[in-house]
Amino acid sequence: MIKDVDILNKETIKTDLALIRSCLKLINASISYSKSHGEDFSASENEELHMLVSKIDRSLNKIKGHIQYETNN
């Protein structure tokens, strides 16, 4: 018998958000490194990248709305 996993509990959500934060830190470090070596991250050169960032930003704003996020945290 397979034990049900509760993917909707607060602890799991905290873990998922911590993983997302770690991924974002790694992405930011990669971008910083690439920029220091001459990579261009302007919107005109990276439309798809900028669209993905915009979608992530909208998703984070939805999460903030659902958890009644306060800016003083």
Side-chain angles (χ1 to χ4, degrees), residues 16-61:
D16 290 346
L17 288 172
L19 178 60
I20 291 167
R21 182 174 182 252
S22 295
C23 291
L24 291 173
K25 286 174 131 180
L26 180 59
I27 291 166
N28 190 44
S30 297
I31 290 170
S32 294
Y33 177 81
S34 295
K35 283 180 73 173
S36 72
H37 286 82
E39 187 75 33
D40 181 7
F41 286 93
S42 66
S44 62
E45 293 295 318
N46 298 280
E47 185 176 335
E48 186 176 349
L49 178 67
H50 284 254
M51 300 252 317
L52 285 169
V53 170
S54 179
K55 288 177 182 180
I56 291 167
D57 187 51
R58 285 193 301 272
S59 294
L60 287 173
N61 284 329

